[in-house]
């Protein structure tokens, strides 16, 4: 520093003339904001302060008018001890601002907080001119002794007592430093080895630190005026005793701790900013002014107890203030404090970077983020922009597909309704070929013949006109129906045997469930020939459904035997070629008629068929079922039907016919249908039996025309046989028992009344009970043993085994087909998908809004090592509470959709599984199909959450752990859907998600759970692992500033277990799915549908 600059620095510190303009002093801070530095009366009782009205009057204050420093003289100096100050005559090396002795000439404090005085040299010095002496220990009289560092002044001065204390006309020449060697006088320090100076003296620089010197001068003025030397107060709170935070060794080794700013607040006034790099500006803390803690003033106490720092709004650029000149402050949010800079600097965070509290350097914002000047957190905008772009593109794509689909459907509908050209020579249309000369001459009656429409679909197989070919009765004219020919050709290729149907035989069949005292079936014997339509009738509880289930292998019989084609064995081995149509029309409402049938064909037809052949077979089934006009219509649900009930029933039957079955069982196929639809269904089943397929139906109170379509009957009562034989002989059988059938009565209704024990109107005398009917049948069968079915040849059975072996697509292909179907279902339920996305975004918005006020700082701990006393109230719970909110929000978002994945399709799954579909393929496909939904939902939630909450955790880490938690909740909801009724599933899933969310370790804390020895229960919840990720990734980055390990011990969370936590979430979500799969396979669900 030049002489002129130093002179100017000293001159600027004039205590009398420049009190209001002096930079960076305690007094300046006090004058600006009295609430920061407490003030009060002097020891004489005279109130000289100019403070706010609410300031306590018994505290020392800065006088409103300060006498000139020229009055500071040996005669006018009042020693601190005379004022009874707590830092009085003993002084302290930590308080160099307090004058200990009257000045005898110019004095200043250098940048090392050493006191420097212009005085006489040591006695043995060869120079007689005055010398500057600087010593670190301010308690020693600067005019006594010869220790410390010595500097020569710019000019020769013989007398200093006439010079004012702040005179800077002859500053030290710091290019050469001397020390006293006793009688040897002053010697150059560079020639002495080792350095004999103390640590405090080694810090002396001889460069005037104007802010230190100003405080020293003002304290001297106050002492001279017999006032409390507020300018030298080590703490702003009156009477506060400072506590040293670092010793000399720690200071020399570490200096100011990372994340702290060791330059007091009064050095950063606005007018001082431009001069921070000036060599005259030094740190507040040196080895002679070690960092210390001061008792905070009242506003600061409240701020620290609330977890905040001592920052005065509107003053000092909003920066954190220390409670004394030597108290370090945490680097203010929005600023950064380089750890290796000298002098210390607190620099405004530049635009494009952000600086959280305690920053040592600005953190570069990621591309596309919003980081204005003085930003203390990063507002990530790129994911939000991508989110908007993806949503807009998705909506546009959906609108295009909807428009394109509507246009395509309109074209197909228009083409289907175009009138077909009628060929006049078409015999099937009933027209004759007319010659031109016959037109006028022929009578009108001779020229017109009645129009006869050729039967379509399966109706062609039962129309009497087409039951003959070449004079052979019973043959079918396949040329009359192209769709029927296509179906029969597919059946021939799929069955690979000469007979399309299976025959069944059963002897002494019984079924006795465990835990019951009475069997449901007993002593059932009989047979069902192939290619027949068999009706199973009986009253409620007669055992109809049980008999059919046992016969088709859905339930294991506990007694007797069942034969297929005359061969005994396990009936389950034939399930791939046996179809079952339940009473309820169990179809997927989101799919079209053709899509439902085609999926069944792709999964159940022979694996060596090409997809083209499979589609041809499915189209033939659609056409034969007379569903061509609605093939592209969605089926709809029962609550919101799109096609009629009869068409829905045909679709349900078509799903089984798509598998080319050799036997078809139906449970009350006419229930819920009007008379016309019921008759149409039974005619179709009759046609299938004419093709050779065995048809067994459970039927209740059939109409007369339906009853007469049945080839043979199996009548049950109380689980026993009442009759088994041809339908045409049933009336004669009961009439032989004494029952009268009224003329013109429906024989089916009369038979139903008789076998249910209500036959008294038809038999006036005798026993009409079911037991009597059962006994009568047993007596007849005992006399006439039933004729056994013909056993199939070895060749036929070998062909049948080959047919069964090749049935069904391999499981990888089934996964593919099931996945396509599941994704198509989600596409068809777009409203539900977008509603879930909206709820996800709104949930993230709410949680982010709740955390927005913390500006990304949701953790406060104890400062490291020596600075613990500076800590504000710790906050270990904000991060766990934020994790709890995330867990609860994700649980509420995804639990109900997770239930619907399986809960609404359980009956579909059971039907398909019992028909030979691979359960594993179905389950995996459904799991995979939910992944896009989870990813999009997590993307919406995480983006809105991170945008507003701006936590420390990186976006990608938050997204990954949130996605895995979505994965866990979807898995948990799947388990709930397997164990609960459909109507109860969503509510129970929400409750389950709340439970695992509460067990995240926030309240009750994980540490407390460990003390209860139930920590394993908390760690079995996915919420704990998500909370640990959030805790570690939000807290660990503060390890340079806070004791994060103490926080980890106090909460029970680990700081550096990110990979383990992710694997734990993945494992828990997978375990949930394995458990759900096990329940799905076992079918052990406590559920009534």
């Amino acid at each position: 520093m030049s002489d002129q600059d130093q002179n100017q620095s000293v001159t600027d510190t004039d205590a009398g003339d420049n009190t209001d303009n002096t930079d960076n002093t305690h007094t300046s801070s006090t004058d600006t904001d009295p609430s920061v530095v407490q003030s009060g009366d002097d020891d004489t009782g005279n109130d000289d302060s100019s403070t706010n009205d609410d300031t306590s009057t018994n505290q020392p204050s800065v006088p409103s008018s300060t006498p000139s420093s020229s009055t500071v003289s040996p005669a006018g100096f009042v020693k601190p001890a005379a004022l009874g100050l707590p830092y009085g005559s003993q002084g302290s090396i930590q308080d160099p601002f307090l004058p200990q002795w009257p000045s005898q000439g110019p004095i200043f404090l250098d940048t090392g907080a050493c006191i420097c005085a212009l005085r006489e040299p040591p006695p043995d010095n060869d120079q007689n001119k005055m010398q500057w002496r600087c010593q670190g220990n301010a308690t020693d009289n600067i005019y006594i002794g010869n220790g410390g560092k010595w500097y020569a002044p710019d000019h020769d001065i013989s007398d200093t007592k006439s010079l004012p204390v702040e005179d800077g006309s002859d500053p030290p020449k710091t290019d050469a430093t001397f020390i006293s060697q006793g009688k040897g006088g002053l010697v150059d320090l560079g020639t002495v080895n080792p350095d004999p100076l103390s640590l405090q003296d080694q810090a002396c620089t001889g460069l005037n630190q104007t802010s230190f010197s100003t405080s020293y001068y003002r304290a001297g003025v106050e002492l001279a005026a017999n006032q409390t030397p507020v300018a030298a107060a080590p703490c702003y709170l009156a009477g506060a005793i400072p506590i040293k935070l670092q010793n000399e060794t720690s200071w020399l080794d570490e200096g100011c701790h990372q994340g702290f700013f060791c330059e007091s607040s009064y050095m950063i006034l606005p007018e001082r900013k431009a001069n921070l790099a000036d060599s005259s500006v030094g740190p507040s803390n040196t080895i002679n002014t070690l960092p210390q803690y001061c008792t905070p003033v009242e506003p600061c106490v409240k701020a620290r107890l609330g977890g905040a720092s001592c920052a005065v709004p509107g003053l000092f650029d909003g920066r954190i203030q220390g409670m004394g000149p030597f108290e370090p402050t945490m680097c203010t949010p929005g600023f950064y404090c380089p750890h290796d800079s000298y002098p210390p600097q607190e620099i405004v965070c530049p635009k494009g970077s952000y600086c959280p509290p305690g920053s040592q350097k600005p953190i570069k914002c990621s591309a596309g983020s919003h980081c204005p000047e003085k930003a203390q957190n990063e507002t990530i905008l790129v994911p939000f922009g991508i989110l908007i772009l993806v949503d807009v593109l998705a909506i546009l794509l959906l609108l295009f597909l909807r428009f394109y689909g509507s246009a395509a459907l309109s074209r197909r509908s228009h083409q289907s309704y175009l009138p077909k050209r009628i060929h006049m020579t078409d015999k099937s249309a009933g027209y004759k070929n007319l010659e031109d000369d016959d037109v006028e001459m022929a009578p009108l009656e001779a020229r017109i013949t009645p129009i006869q429409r050729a039967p379509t679909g399966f109706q062609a197989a039962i129309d009497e006109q087409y039951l003959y070919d070449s004079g052979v009765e019973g043959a079918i004219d396949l040329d009359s129906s192209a769709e029927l020919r296509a179906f029969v050709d597919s059946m021939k290729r799929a069955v690979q045997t000469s007979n399309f149907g299976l025959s069944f035989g059963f002897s002494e069949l019984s079924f006795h469930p465990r835990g019951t005292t009475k069997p449901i079936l007993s002593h059932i014997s009989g047979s069902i020939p192939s290619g027949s339509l068999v009706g199973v009738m009986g009253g409620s509880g007669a055992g109809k459904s049980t008999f059919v289930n046992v016969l088709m292998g859905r339930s294991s019989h506990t007694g007797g035997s069942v034969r297929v084609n005359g061969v005994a064995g396990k009936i389950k081995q034939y399930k791939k070629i046996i179809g079952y149509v339940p009473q309820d029309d169990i179809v997927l409402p989101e799919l079209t008629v053709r899509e439902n049938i085609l999926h069944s064909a792709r999964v159940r037809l022979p694996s060596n068929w090409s997809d083209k052949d499979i589609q041809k077979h499915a189209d033939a089934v659609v056409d034969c079922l007379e569903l061509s006009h609605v093939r592209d219509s969605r089926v709809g649900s029962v609550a919101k039907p799109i096609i009629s009930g009869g068409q829905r029933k045909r679709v349900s039957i078509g799903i089984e016919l798509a598998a080319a079955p050799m036997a078809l069982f139906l449970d009350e196929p006419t229930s819920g249908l009007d008379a016309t639809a019921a008759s149409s269904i039974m005619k179709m089943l009759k046609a299938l039996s004419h093709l050779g397929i065995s048809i067994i139906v459970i039927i209740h109170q059939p109409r007369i025309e339906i009853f007469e379509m049945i080839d043979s009957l199996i009548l049950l009562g109380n689980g026993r046989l009442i009759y088994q034989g041809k339908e045409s002989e049933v009336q004669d059988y009961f009439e032989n028992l004494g029952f009268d059938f009224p003329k013109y009565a429906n024989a089916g209704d009369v038979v139903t009344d008789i076998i249910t024990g209500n036959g008294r109107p038809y038999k006036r005398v005798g026993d009409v009970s079911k037991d009597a009917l059962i006994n009568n049948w047993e007596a007849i069968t005992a006399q006439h043993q039933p004729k056994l079915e013909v056993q199939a040849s070895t060749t036929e059975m070998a062909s049948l085994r080959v047919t069964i072996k090749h049935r069904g697509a391999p499981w990888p292909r089934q996964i593919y087909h099931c996945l396509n179907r599941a994704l198509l279902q989600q596409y068809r339920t777009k409203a539900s998908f977008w509603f879930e996305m909206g709820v996800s975004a709104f949930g993230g918005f709410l949680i982010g809004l709740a955390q927005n006020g913390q500006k990304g700082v949701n953790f406060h701990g104890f400062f490291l090592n020596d600075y613990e006393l500076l800590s504000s109230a710790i906050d270990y719970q904000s991060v766990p509470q934020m994790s709890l909110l995330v867990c609860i929000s994700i649980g509420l978002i995804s639990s109900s959709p997770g239930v619907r994945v399986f809960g609404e399709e359980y009956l579909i799954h059971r039907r398909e599984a019992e028909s030979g579909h691979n359960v594993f393929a179905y389950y995996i496909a459904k799991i995979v199909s939910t992944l896009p939904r989870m990813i999009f939902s997590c993307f919406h939630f995480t983006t809105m959450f991170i945008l507003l909450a701006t936590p420390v955790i990186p976006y990608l880490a938050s997204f990954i752990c949130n996605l895995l938690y979505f994965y866990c909740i979807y898995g948990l909801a799947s388990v709930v859907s397997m164990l609960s009724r459909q109507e109860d599933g969503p509510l129970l899933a929400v409750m389950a998600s709340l439970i695992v969310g509460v067990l995240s370790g926030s309240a009750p804390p994980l540490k407390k759970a460990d003390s209860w020895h139930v920590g394993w229960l908390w760690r079995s919840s996915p919420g704990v692992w998500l909370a640990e990720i959030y805790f570690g990734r939000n807290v660990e980055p503060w390890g340079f500033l806070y004791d994060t390990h103490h926080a980890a011990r106090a909460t029970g969370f680990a700081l550096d277990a990110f990979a383990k936590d992710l694997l734990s979430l993945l494992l828990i979500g997978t375990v949930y799915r394995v458990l759900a799969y096990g329940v799905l396979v076992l079918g052990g669900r406590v559920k009534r549908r």
Side-chain angles (χ1 to χ4, degrees):
M1 183 175 67
S2 65
D3 295 345
Q4 182 179 0
D5 290 339
Q6 188 168 14
N7 292 338
Q8 182 64 38
S9 297
V10 176
T11 305
D12 287 345
T13 63
D14 183 81
D17 299 333
N18 300 304
T19 299
D20 295 335
N21 298 324
T22 303
D23 298 332
N24 311 323
T25 64
H26 301 294
T27 305
S28 177
S29 295
T30 305
D31 293 340
T32 306
D33 182 18
S35 65
V36 177
V37 180
Q38 303 298 316
S39 58
D41 299 337
D42 57 27
D43 66 324
T44 63
N46 298 323
D47 187 3
D48 295 321
S49 63
S50 57
T51 63
N52 292 338
D53 295 339
D54 58 349
T55 305
S56 177
T57 58
N58 59 353
Q59 296 176 336
S61 64
V62 179
S64 57
S65 59
T66 306
S68 173
S69 60
S70 60
T71 62
V72 179
S73 63
F77 183 78
V78 179
K79 288 189 175 183
L83 298 176
L85 300 177
Y87 39 78
S89 59
Q90 299 300 321
S92 170
I93 60 172
Q94 289 290 103
D95 190 9
F97 300 159
L98 180 65
Q100 300 289 336
W101 309 98
S103 63
Q104 299 179 17
I107 295 178
F108 68 88
L109 299 181
D110 69 3
T111 56
C114 295
I115 184 169
C116 299
L118 187 62
R119 49 159 280 187
E120 296 177 352
D124 297 327
N125 187 41
D126 55 356
Q127 299 180 8
N128 294 324
K129 66 179 182 178
M130 296 294 180
Q131 301 286 320
W132 284 100
R133 179 194 175 195
C134 298
Q135 68 178 27
N137 192 340
T139 60
D140 292 340
N141 194 329
I142 189 67
Y143 299 106
I144 300 176
N146 302 316
K149 293 183 179 180
W150 292 79
Y151 302 94
D154 275 352
H155 306 91
D156 292 339
I157 300 176
S158 58
D159 182 22
T160 62
K161 294 182 180 180
S162 62
L163 298 176
V165 66
E166 71 277 9
D167 183 79
S169 58
D170 285 292
K173 293 190 295 185
T174 57
D175 54 349
T177 304
F178 303 92
I179 61 172
S180 175
Q181 287 284 350
K183 294 183 179 181
L186 297 178
V187 298
D188 192 329
L189 180 61
T191 62
V192 179
N193 190 20
D195 191 341
L197 296 175
S198 66
L199 293 177
Q200 288 76 22
D201 291 342
Q202 290 179 20
C204 298
T205 63
L207 298 174
N208 187 3
Q209 172 70 0
T210 58
S211 57
F212 288 177
S213 300
T214 300
S215 296
Y216 183 87
Y217 301 151
R218 288 188 172 180
V221 171
E222 291 165 345
L223 287 173
N226 199 26
Q227 297 175 349
T228 301
V230 175
C235 296
Y236 297 157
L237 182 65
I241 305 298
I243 300 175
K244 187 164 63 175
L245 298 177
Q246 285 180 270
N247 55 32
E248 290 80 358
T249 303
S250 172
W251 178 259
L252 291 176
D253 292 342
E254 303 178 30
C256 188
H257 283 190
Q258 296 184 33
F260 281 86
F261 180 53
C262 290
E263 180 172 308
S264 58
S265 59
Y266 56 79
M267 295 180 64
I268 54 172
L269 290 173
E271 60 268 22
R272 199 67 186 166
K273 291 180 183 177
N275 200 32
L276 282 176
D278 196 306
S279 60
S280 66
V281 179
S284 291
N285 296 117
T286 68
I287 197 169
N288 295 316
T289 53
L290 293 172
Q292 61 187 21
Y293 165 80
C294 287
T295 303
V297 296
E298 182 179 352
C300 186
V301 171
K302 294 179 179 179
R304 290 184 179 179
L305 290 177
S309 299
C310 300
V312 181
L315 293 180
F316 309 112
D317 227 2
R319 306 189 192 198
I320 299 174
Q321 305 300 304
M323 291 295 99
F326 310 124
E327 182 175 282
T329 59
M330 179 177 66
C331 196
T332 305
F335 296 79
Y336 68 97
C337 306
H339 185 248
D340 54 354
S341 67
Y342 187 88
Q345 301 182 68
E346 191 172 49
I347 306 173
V348 172
C349 199
K351 183 179 181 180
S353 299
Y354 68 100
C355 302
S359 295
Q360 302 174 64
K361 59 182 179 180
I363 303 173
K364 189 71 175 178
C365 288
S366 56
S369 297
H370 176 64
C371 294
E373 187 179 66
K374 296 178 66 174
Q376 55 183 290
N377 52 2
E378 179 183 18
T379 303
I380 302 177
L381 298 178
V382 171
F384 181 71
I386 296 175
L387 176 67
I388 297 298
L389 179 62
V390 169
D391 285 351
V392 170
L393 291 178
I395 292 173
L396 292 177
L397 178 61
L398 290 176
L399 292 176
F400 170 77
L401 292 176
R402 183 173 182 178
F403 173 78
Y404 178 79
S406 299
L409 182 60
S410 177
R411 287 194 300 270
R412 288 197 300 268
S413 301
H414 178 70
Q415 292 172 359
S416 65
Y417 283 104
L418 285 176
K420 297 183 179 179
R421 181 178 180 182
I422 299 177
H423 298 280
M424 301 304 293
T425 58
D426 191 354
K427 295 181 180 180
S428 63
Y431 290 94
K432 294 182 178 180
N433 226 4
L434 300 178
E435 300 295 336
D436 290 341
D437 55 355
D438 291 337
V439 172
E440 296 181 359
M441 301 299 297
L444 183 61
E445 297 83 12
R447 282 185 281 149
I448 301 177
T449 58
I451 297 177
Q452 299 179 359
R453 297 186 180 278
T456 59
F458 290 124
Q459 298 293 332
I462 61 173
D463 195 291
E464 293 182 359
Q465 298 182 47
Y466 302 95
L467 291 181
Y468 63 90
D469 184 25
S470 302
V472 181
E473 186 176 355
I476 302 173
D477 183 9
L478 295 178
D479 291 333
S480 64
S481 176
E483 58 266 25
L484 185 59
R485 171 176 286 280
F487 176 77
V488 172
D489 289 343
S490 293
M491 284 292 297
K492 286 180 179 179
R493 184 181 175 190
V495 172
Q496 297 181 353
T497 63
S498 59
N499 195 342
F500 283 0
L502 297 177
S503 64
F504 295 88
F506 39 94
S507 301
E508 295 297 316
L509 198 62
S510 63
F511 182 76
H512 193 162
R514 293 179 181 179
T516 61
T517 58
K518 186 178 179 180
I520 296 178
L521 295 178
S522 62
H523 305 293
I524 306 292
S525 298
S527 63
I528 298 175
S530 63
S532 61
L533 175 59
V534 179
V536 181
M537 297 178 63
S540 298
K544 304 185 299 296
S545 298
T546 303
F547 169 72
V548 169
N549 288 336
V550 171
L551 194 61
M552 63 183 294
R554 298 182 69 193
S555 299
S556 299
H557 57 85
T558 57
S561 63
V562 178
R563 301 174 301 280
V564 176
N565 287 357
V567 179
K570 292 183 177 180
I571 196 69
K572 285 187 176 180
Q573 64 182 316
Y574 300 100
K575 70 178 182 178
K576 290 185 177 180
I577 56 175
I578 295 177
Y580 173 71
V581 180
Q583 179 178 352
D584 297 326
D585 301 324
I586 303 173
V587 293
L588 288 173
E590 301 88 0
L591 303 185
T592 64
V593 170
R594 183 177 185 273
E595 288 165 349
N596 272 291
I597 295 174
L598 180 59
H599 176 79
S600 178
R602 281 172 168 165
V603 173
R604 297 170 64 182
L605 283 177
S607 58
N608 56 358
W609 280 30
S610 66
D611 191 65
K612 183 178 180 181
D613 292 336
I614 292 174
Q615 293 199 46
K616 285 183 178 179
H617 176 75
D619 289 334
V621 172
V622 172
D623 293 337
C624 288
L625 291 172
E626 300 181 49
L627 295 171
S628 301
H629 59 294
V630 292
R631 68 169 61 233
D632 295 321
S633 297
R634 297 187 201 177
V635 175
S637 62
V638 176
K640 295 181 178 180
I642 297 177
I643 60 177
S644 68
Q647 292 169 341
R648 187 181 179 88
K649 178 64 70 176
R650 289 173 181 267
V651 173
S652 184
I653 295 174
I655 288 175
E656 298 303 320
L657 293 179
M662 299 178 69
L664 186 62
F665 292 80
L666 301 96
D667 187 1
E668 300 193 22
T670 59
S671 296
L673 301 179
D674 58 72
T676 302
S679 178
S680 177
I681 292 294
M682 289 304 297
K683 285 181 180 180
M684 181 188 65
L685 296 177
K686 182 70 173 179
L688 289 172
S689 68
H690 278 213
L691 293 175
I693 301 174
S694 302
I695 308 294
I696 300 93
V697 300
I698 298 175
I699 196 161
H700 183 66
Q701 291 185 329
R703 294 178 61 189
I704 182 63
E705 60 268 24
I706 292 176
F707 186 73
E708 291 176 350
M709 290 182 194
I710 299 173
D711 295 325
S712 61
L713 292 170
I714 297 176
L715 307 181
L716 299 175
N718 296 337
R720 306 284 291 274
L721 263 179
I722 293 178
Y723 173 82
Q724 200 265 321
K726 295 181 179 180
E727 178 272 332
S728 60
E729 299 175 356
V730 68
Q731 183 171 342
D732 294 337
Y733 172 76
F734 284 111
E735 285 180 345
N736 291 334
L737 296 181
F739 292 93
D740 294 327
F741 280 66
K743 192 177 182 179
Y744 306 117
N746 181 357
D749 292 340
V750 176
V751 169
T752 301
D753 290 340
I754 292 173
I755 64 177
T756 57
N758 299 314
R760 179 57 66 189
Y762 313 108
K763 185 177 182 180
R764 299 299 181 183
V765 180
D767 192 354
V768 296
S769 66
K770 289 183 284 186
D771 291 336
L773 297 174
I774 293 170
N775 293 334
N776 187 75
W777 178 256
E778 289 180 349
I780 294 175
T781 55
Q783 296 175 3
H784 306 283
Q785 291 295 329
K787 184 179 179 180
L788 296 177
E789 69 277 7
V790 178
Q791 183 173 349
S793 65
T794 304
T795 303
E796 288 180 345
M797 291 306 296
S799 299
L800 188 60
R801 284 192 290 270
V802 172
T803 298
I804 296 173
K805 180 180 179 181
H806 290 96
R807 283 299 181 95
W811 66 267
R813 195 186 304 170
Q814 289 194 39
I815 291 178
Y816 173 76
H817 292 315
C818 290
L819 178 59
N820 283 341
R821 182 179 70 171
L823 292 175
L824 181 59
Q825 286 179 263
Q826 294 196 42
Y827 170 74
R828 294 276 171 78
T829 55
K830 299 181 287 294
S832 174
F833 173 83
W834 287 112
F835 181 76
E836 184 178 348
M837 297 306 105
V839 170
S840 300
F842 188 65
F845 172 80
L846 290 180
I847 303 303
L849 189 63
Q851 299 290 318
N852 182 259
Q854 297 186 358
K855 298 185 180 300
V857 182
N858 43 28
F859 172 76
H860 298 286
F862 292 113
F863 289 130
L864 284 172
N865 302 327
D866 305 321
Y867 290 5
E868 296 96 332
L869 287 175
L870 299 176
S871 303
S872 301
I874 62 172
D875 181 8
Y876 292 170
Q877 286 302 309
S878 285
V879 176
Q881 287 172 0
M882 178 176 67
S883 305
L884 174 63
L885 292 177
V886 170
C887 289
I888 292 176
S889 183
I890 294 177
L892 295 176
I893 291 168
S894 58
S895 53
S896 292
V899 168
R900 290 199 302 270
V901 173
F902 295 103
E904 295 182 353
E905 291 188 15
Y906 175 68
L907 294 180
I908 292 285
H909 159 71
R910 295 313 305 171
R911 175 178 181 176
E912 294 179 343
E914 290 164 358
S915 300
H917 289 229
N918 189 290
V919 178
F920 178 75
Y922 167 80
Y923 188 77
I924 291 298
K926 293 296 289 185
I927 292 299
V928 174
S929 70
T930 60
L931 293 181
R933 196 181 194 104
M934 285 189 291
I935 292 173
F936 271 91
S937 186
C938 180
F939 183 42
H940 282 76
F941 174 83
T942 305
T943 299
M944 298 304 297
F945 168 67
I946 295 295
L947 178 68
L948 293 176
T950 63
V952 177
I953 184 173
Y955 177 87
L956 184 60
S958 177
F959 176 80
I960 293 174
C961 70
N962 288 347
L963 179 60
L964 287 176
Y965 195 76
F966 270 94
Y967 176 74
C968 291
I969 296 300
Y970 263 81
L972 179 62
S974 298
V975 176
V976 172
S977 69
M978 300 295 176
L979 297 172
S980 63
R981 297 183 300 178
Q982 181 176 338
E983 58 270 24
D984 298 333
L987 178 60
L988 292 177
V990 169
M991 287 302 301
S993 67
L994 287 177
I995 291 173
V996 298
V998 169
L999 295 180
S1000 63
S1002 174
L1006 181 60
K1007 186 71 172 179
K1008 180 65 71 175
D1010 288 334
S1011 67
W1012 295 339
H1013 305 290
V1014 290
W1016 59 269
L1017 178 61
W1018 265 246
R1019 289 180 174 84
S1020 65
S1021 164
V1024 162
W1025 305 104
L1026 179 134
E1028 188 165 80
I1029 291 175
Y1030 270 88
F1031 188 85
R1033 303 293 280 188
N1034 280 285
V1035 172
E1036 188 182 24
W1038 298 100
F1040 71 95
L1041 186 65
Y1042 297 114
D1043 187 355
T1044 55
H1045 293 287
H1046 180 274
R1049 291 191 300 270
T1051 57
F1053 293 116
L1055 292 174
D1056 53 354
F1058 182 68
K1060 183 189 76 173
D1061 295 334
L1062 291 180
L1063 290 175
S1064 298
L1065 284 171
L1066 181 62
L1067 178 62
I1068 291 175
T1070 304
V1071 168
Y1072 285 154
R1073 281 162 174 77
V1074 171
L1075 180 60
Y1077 177 72
V1079 178
L1080 183 66
V1081 171
L1082 297 177
R1085 313 213 302 175
V1086 186
K1087 175 182 292 194
R1088 293 188 300 273
R1089 292 180 179 265

